[in-house]
């Protein structure tokens, strides 16, 4: 028996890899009954570095709490079953390449004709309109095309490389779940279903709000010449590092940053986050450093004369100071002074961490084939309708018979479909 704010909501999920499955998992955590449809051989993430046949870490991590159906959705018999299930469904989540939904007859026009109250959430890489609408695309491609990769400027040899994890994918999954909840609320008020379009491109750009804001009075004399010089640099086949230098010439980073960065300590690393005036002063109080940018009247001058020389000196002084104590010692000092700070962890170090456990961010599940496993729990909670992991990820085709029975098929009809190779 499920529990949560979406108890009673029926979701049909036609998705693979990350964004769609991550959305479906959030809906399941909120109590929705999520039925995931896969091809007979399983979706690609299920067979990506299999731990046992048809089971992988990646699939188990993104599909908990769902029912699993395996069927050949190219077959008319399978499509007829889906159409019967749609009559009683609330939400469809789809995350296929452009045109696949139409080929499988699970497009919005077809399904909304069967159930006008249906909320249909489709995610694509670039959207349904424009010159890139026909293209498929993965997180890597979208990172490259939306400035995320260039903004990170992370290198692998001589070329830029992707940000880990797949930020556009995961953030889009959250966005999809958010949009579906809004559409359910709208339907409660109006009785109307609707289509939702989410895109990896839209999410990736939305996460860069300040960079994707052109203020005419300040940017009209900066961005056009920057773009012109970047064009020349590319035409001259200059390296990515050189292109970043061109960008930074027009968008220079402030020198002398000692307040919002990671420091190496005696035995590790610690991140310090002080963005406000009051927090900067607390950093100085905690470290004993002196920043000449603070004036006697308490004001702060970002870039005083000569700071291009003095700023790096202050940074070197701060770096040397942080290397004199352990991470734990600095954490205690900074906390005592009210400075936000924390040690650098590898993600595996958060298993059984007291903060992880205290906030329900780790759950333990039992999988029929993988055995017991731990994974991240629901990322938020509600006082009146608590979220919970509703179970492990489904085995391939685990709930096929159950779902087909709900569609009104008899056991004999199910066996005929299985014998014909339509379902697993």
């Amino acid at each position: 028996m499920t529990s949560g704010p979406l108890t009673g909501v029926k979701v049909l999920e036609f998705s693979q890899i990350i964004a769609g499955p991550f959305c479906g998992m959030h809906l399941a955590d909120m109590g929705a009954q999520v039925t995931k449809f896969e091809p007979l051989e399983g979706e690609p993430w299920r067979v990506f570095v299999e731990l046992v046949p048809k089971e992988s870490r990646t699939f188990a991590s993104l599909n908990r709490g769902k029912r699993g159906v395996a069927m050949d959705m190219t077959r008319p018999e399978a499509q007829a079953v889906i159409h019967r299930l749609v009559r009683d469904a609330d939400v469809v989540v789809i995350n296929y390449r452009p045109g696949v939904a139409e080929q499988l007859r699970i497009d919005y026009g077809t399904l909304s004709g069967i159930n006008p109250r249906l909320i249909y959430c489709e995610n694509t890489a670039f959207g349904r309109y424009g010159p890139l609408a026909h293209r498929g695309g993965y997180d890597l491609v979208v990172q490259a095309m939306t400035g995320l990769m260039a903004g990170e400027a992370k290198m692998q040899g001589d070329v830029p490389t992707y940000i880990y994890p797949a930020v556009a994918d995961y953030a889009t999954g959250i966005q999809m779940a958010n949009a579906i909840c809004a559409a359910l609320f709208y339907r409660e008020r109006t009785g109307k279903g609707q289509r939702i379009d989410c895109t990896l491109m839209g999410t990736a750009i939305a996460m860069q709000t300040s960079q994707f804001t052109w203020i005419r009075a300040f940017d009209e004399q900066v961005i056009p010449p920057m773009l012109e010089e970047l064009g020349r640099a590319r035409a001259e086949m200059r390296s990515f590092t050189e292109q970043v230098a061109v960008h930074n010439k027009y968008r220079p980073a402030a020198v002398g940053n000692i307040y919002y960065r990671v420091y190496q300590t005696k035995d590790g690393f610690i991140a310090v986050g002080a963005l406000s005036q009051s927090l900067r002063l607390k950093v100085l109080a905690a470290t004993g450093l002196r920043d000449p940018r603070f004036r006697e009247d308490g004001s702060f001058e970002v870039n005083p004369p000569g700071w291009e020389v003095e700023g790096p000196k202050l940074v070197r002084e701060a770096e040397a100071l942080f290397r004199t104590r352990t991470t734990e010692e600095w954490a205690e000092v900074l906390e005592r002074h009210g400075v936000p700070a924390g040690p650098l962890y590898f993600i595996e170090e958060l298993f059984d961490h007291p903060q992880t456990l205290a906030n329900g961010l780790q759950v333990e599940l039992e999988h029929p084939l993988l055995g017991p496993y731990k994974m991240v729990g629901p990322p938020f909670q509600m006082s009146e309708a608590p979220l919970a992991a509703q179970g492990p990820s489904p085995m391939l085709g685990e709930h096929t018979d159950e779902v087909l029975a709900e569609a009104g098929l008899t056991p004999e009809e199910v066996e005929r479909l299985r014998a014909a190779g339509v379902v697993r």
Side-chain angles (χ1 to χ4, degrees):
M1 184 67 181
T2 61
S3 61
L6 295 185
T7 297
V9 172
K10 294 183 178 180
V11 179
L12 306 182
E13 181 192 310
F14 305 94
S15 73
Q16 57 187 19
I17 312 297
I18 295 175
F22 195 48
C23 164
M25 191 171 77
H26 281 305
L27 299 177
D29 284 349
M30 288 188 272
Q33 181 194 72
V34 180
T35 303
K36 181 183 180 77
F37 292 81
E38 301 179 66
L40 295 177
E41 67 276 11
E43 71 129 301
W45 233 215
R46 184 184 280 280
V47 295
F48 181 80
V49 190
E50 293 169 290
L51 301 175
V52 299
K54 300 298 184 182
E55 299 292 341
S56 68
R57 184 186 310 274
T58 49
F59 185 87
S61 71
L62 286 161
N63 291 283
R64 70 153 177 253
K66 304 176 185 179
R67 302 191 301 174
V69 176
M71 60 168 52
D72 181 355
M73 290 179 283
T74 65
R75 302 278 291 270
E77 305 98 303
Q79 294 166 9
V81 170
I82 292 170
H83 292 171
R84 290 167 75 167
L85 292 167
V86 164
R87 296 173 192 163
D88 194 38
D90 297 291
V91 178
V92 162
V93 174
I94 183 163
N95 188 187
Y96 290 158
R97 289 174 61 91
V100 172
E102 287 75 14
Q103 293 171 12
L104 300 179
R105 296 179 62 227
I106 54 173
D107 56 284
Y108 178 65
T110 299
L111 300 190
S112 64
I114 298 169
N115 179 0
R117 285 173 52 83
L118 188 69
I119 292 160
Y120 185 97
C121 182
E122 181 170 16
N123 176 58
T124 58
F126 302 106
R128 292 194 296 137
Y129 306 105
L132 304 182
H134 65 286
R135 287 195 192 180
Y138 286 97
D139 183 274
L140 168 72
V141 177
V142 171
Q143 282 191 29
M145 294 183 66
T146 60
L148 279 174
M149 193 177 290
E152 181 76 1
K154 178 181 172 185
M155 302 291 287
Q156 187 172 59
D158 295 330
V159 299
T161 189
Y162 57 87
I163 304 166
Y164 174 84
V167 289
D169 266 334
Y170 282 103
T172 300
I174 297 169
Q175 185 82 298
M176 293 169 73
N178 175 50
I180 287 167
C181 289
L184 285 168
F185 179 74
Y186 181 84
R187 193 181 70 178
E188 283 297 303
R189 285 186 159 182
T190 67
K192 296 179 180 178
Q194 62 185 302
R195 178 190 182 105
I196 301 166
D197 285 295
C198 292
T199 69
L200 299 184
M201 182 178 186
T203 303
I205 293 175
M207 289 189 292
Q208 302 175 82
T209 53
S210 60
Q211 291 90 343
F212 199 70
T213 300
W214 185 319
I215 302 172
R216 182 176 299 174
F218 298 93
D219 295 323
E220 201 71 27
Q221 303 304 315
V222 174
I223 295 180
M226 176 209 296
L227 298 179
E228 185 178 340
E229 190 167 345
L230 279 172
R232 288 198 300 271
R234 287 171 179 153
E236 295 166 5
M237 295 183 63
R238 289 161 69 181
S239 70
F240 181 67
T241 302
E242 291 173 308
Q243 292 180 39
V244 169
V246 170
H247 176 273
N248 292 348
K249 182 174 77 172
Y250 293 91
R251 286 278 192 254
V255 297
N257 171 28
I258 64 170
Y259 302 107
Y260 197 83
R261 53 160 297 167
V262 176
Y263 286 101
Q264 184 168 11
T265 66
K266 203 172 186 177
D267 64 347
F269 300 87
I270 191 166
V272 176
L275 286 176
S276 69
Q277 197 84 322
S278 61
L279 287 175
R280 289 171 181 161
L281 290 169
K282 289 177 180 179
V283 170
L284 298 180
T287 60
L289 293 167
R290 181 183 173 276
D291 188 342
R293 289 176 292 180
F294 278 100
R295 297 170 175 169
E296 290 185 5
D297 63 2
S299 62
F300 184 81
E301 188 175 1
V302 175
N303 194 25
W307 191 242
E308 68 279 0
V309 175
E310 296 302 316
K313 289 181 182 177
L314 179 60
V315 169
R316 289 193 293 271
E317 183 184 351
E319 289 173 340
L321 177 63
F322 270 88
R323 284 193 290 267
T324 64
R325 296 186 184 185
T326 66
T327 299
E328 187 175 347
E329 288 170 337
W330 275 118
E332 190 278 325
V333 169
L334 293 166
E335 183 178 3
R336 184 160 21 95
H337 285 82
V339 177
L344 182 148
Y345 289 134
F346 289 93
I347 186 65
E348 292 82 0
E349 294 179 272
L350 295 180
F351 282 119
D352 300 320
H353 189 286
Q355 193 68 19
T356 306
L357 296 175
N359 289 278
L361 293 175
Q362 177 177 304
V363 296
E364 298 194 21
L365 302 167
E366 184 78 29
H367 191 279
L369 297 178
L370 297 175
Y373 68 103
K374 304 174 185 177
M375 68 174 298
V376 63
F380 68 92
Q381 276 299 343
M382 300 172 67
S383 63
E384 295 300 318
L387 279 66
Q390 307 291 340
S393 59
M395 296 181 293
L396 181 59
E398 180 178 353
H399 303 95
T400 299
D401 288 10
E402 177 184 327
V403 174
L404 294 183
E406 290 176 6
L409 276 71
T410 66
E412 293 75 22
E413 289 174 312
V414 173
E415 284 309 310
R416 283 199 292 273
L417 289 178
R418 185 167 284 119
V422 177
V423 301
R424 184 182 178 97

